[in-house]
Amino acid sequence: MSKVDFSGRVAIVTGSGGGLGRTYALELAARGASVVINDLGGSFDGKGGSHRMADQVVEEIRSAGGKAVANYDSVATRAGGEAIVQAALDAFGKVDIVINNAGHLRNARFEDLNDENLDSILDVHLKGAVYVTQPAYKIMKKQGYGRVVFASSAAGVFGNAQQAAYGTAKAGLIGLMNVLSLEGKEHGVLCNALLPTANSRMSEAMDPKQLEAFGAQYAAFGEHLGQSYEPAFVTPLVVYLASETCQSTHAIYSASVGRYARAFIGIADGWNGPRLEPASVEEVAANFEQITDTRSYSIPGSLSDEFDIINRNFRK
Ligand code: NAI
């Protein structure tokens, strides 16, 4: 197996002053990438800020012989996103890789979700990914090469109680990845989304009452898995997705306690109703079992691909 190498590549890892992002940045740098260590340095819920977190990771990389610069801008504003990409250009002259990882957590039951928390979560996770990726994408498109990873979450793709804002933002990243991967493919820009699970200050921030609400299995998850719950178990998949070796695009991958797997949005073959007139409500009711049957399904590669699938199924 040939070594996955990043010599000559320039990577931006947002929120890499700690947690999962730090491990991605360390591994990329150890494999030859020049890395922008972006981190606002605030608390797990997005308050405050400091240079300390990003500086420490830069120091760690440099003392191991790697190349890194710190950046302290917030991903949550357009100006911040542009400044992060500019930091890569100033220090290393280009951008090949963006790992959209920065974020914070503010959980609440849906009825308690207020505008401040809704905006703050959508800004950092969803709009933040747009703000950083857009200026980087323009550079990638021109140079004909790029890799973008979006840190989504099982909370958005599968759901998690008390995370309405977070789940919405994380599911939105899947939409962003779906579209950007289609636009970027012909320019050599490949995009994938990640569903990680690991022990971090963010996962520790779940209060016991919330864990109780999520169920005993969830609470036991971390305790019984020991070492495999560490961020290092997510890192290999992310670094692979950021590499030239990886040709995957337009896909979602889960990395959870040492299990690596593709997640996907599929469409069941369903029930083909009459074509010359709409089905009646009663016909839908009568065929609902077949409509919901997921034993036979497709994974459309785009909206128009779904039309092709429907047409093929009608012709069967
Ligand atoms: P973390 O809190 O350790 O890391 C997030 C980092 O982003 C922090 O270092 C923080 O300072 C930084 N950050 C926050 N707001 C920022 C901003 N506006 N601009 C720049 N940096 C900012 O949390 P963790 O667990 O490492 O999370 C990393 C990513 O993975 C997040 O997007 C999170 O939502 C996602 N994720 C994590 C899961 C887990 O099990 N730990 C599960 C699913 C998704």
Side-chain angles (χ1 to χ4, degrees):
M1 203 186 299
S2 59
K3 191 170 182 232
V4 179
D5 183 60
F6 287 88
S7 304
R9 294 291 179 206
V10 176
I12 293 170
V13 185
T14 67
S16 53
L20 286 157
R22 172 180 159 271
T23 68
Y24 308 155
L26 293 180
E27 188 66 28
L28 286 166
R31 290 171 179 271
S34 303
V35 189
V36 175
I37 306 299
N38 157 261
D39 207 292
L40 187 63
S43 59
F44 80 90
D45 56 357
K47 293 179 182 141
S50 90
H51 291 191
R52 192 182 49 85
M53 292 175 73
D55 286 346
Q56 269 175 2
V57 178
V58 168
E59 184 47 39
E60 228 176 313
I61 289 173
R62 286 188 183 158
S63 59
K67 286 169 263 166
V69 290
N71 170 277
Y72 320 108
D73 286 294
S74 172
V75 300
T77 66
R78 187 167 283 284
E82 276 163 10
I84 293 164
V85 173
Q86 193 59 48
L89 295 180
D90 291 346
F92 306 121
K94 63 172 181 158
V95 187
D96 300 302
I97 298 157
V98 172
I99 300 180
N100 289 292
N101 166 81
H104 62 250
L105 202 58
R106 293 184 186 180
N107 289 351
R109 290 193 182 282
F110 183 61
E111 62 267 33
D112 300 325
L113 180 60
N114 60 33
D115 273 354
E116 193 204 333
N117 291 350
L118 177 62
D119 288 345
S120 137
I121 290 290
L122 294 178
D123 283 354
V124 73
H125 290 281
L126 184 55
K127 289 166 88 176
V130 174
Y131 293 147
V132 178
T133 307
Q134 196 180 47
Y137 176 71
K138 290 178 187 168
I139 296 161
M140 292 173 175
K141 188 173 165 181
K142 238 185 239 161
Q143 73 193 9
Y145 182 87
R147 296 288 182 271
V148 182
V149 180
F150 295 97
S152 177
S153 169
V157 175
F158 304 125
N160 201 15
Q162 302 193 40
Q163 296 197 309
Y166 182 76
T168 301
K170 291 303 200 184
L173 289 173
I174 302 296
L176 176 59
M177 179 281 290
N178 282 335
V179 172
L180 188 58
S181 58
L182 291 177
E183 292 187 18
K185 194 168 181 198
E186 65 181 296
H187 306 291
V189 182
L190 309 187
C191 307
N192 294 285
L194 170 76
L195 314 180
T197 314
N199 197 15
S200 71
R201 66 179 198 170
M202 201 182 272
S203 55
E204 279 165 8
M206 303 275 195
D207 77 38
K209 266 198 210 127
Q210 282 168 333
L211 289 176
E212 208 177 296
F214 297 157
Q217 288 144 311
Y218 190 94
F221 194 56
E223 268 172 41
H224 297 300
L225 293 163
Q227 196 149 313
S228 63
Y229 196 43
E230 292 306 312
F233 280 74
V234 174
T235 309
L237 176 65
V238 177
V239 170
Y240 173 71
L241 294 175
S243 74
E244 195 172 344
T245 314
C246 175
Q247 293 303 308
S248 167
T249 192
H250 200 177
I252 308 166
Y253 295 97
S254 163
S256 187
V257 299
R259 190 288 324 269
Y260 308 94
R262 181 177 175 192
F264 51 86
I265 299 172
I267 183 119
D269 284 355
W271 168 66
N272 290 332
R275 291 202 106 173
L276 297 179
E277 57 184 29
S280 68
V281 176
E282 288 72 20
E283 281 175 310
V284 168
N287 289 284
F288 207 62
E289 206 173 310
Q290 196 179 337
I291 290 170
T292 56
D293 186 348
T294 51
R295 280 175 298 180
S296 182
Y297 64 87
S298 309
I299 306 171
S302 64
L303 183 151
S304 60
D305 193 24
E306 194 204 351
F307 287 154
D308 289 343
I309 292 166
I310 293 169
N311 276 329
R312 266 200 312 275
N313 285 350
F314 262 114
R315 273 190 237 109
K316 268 185 198 166

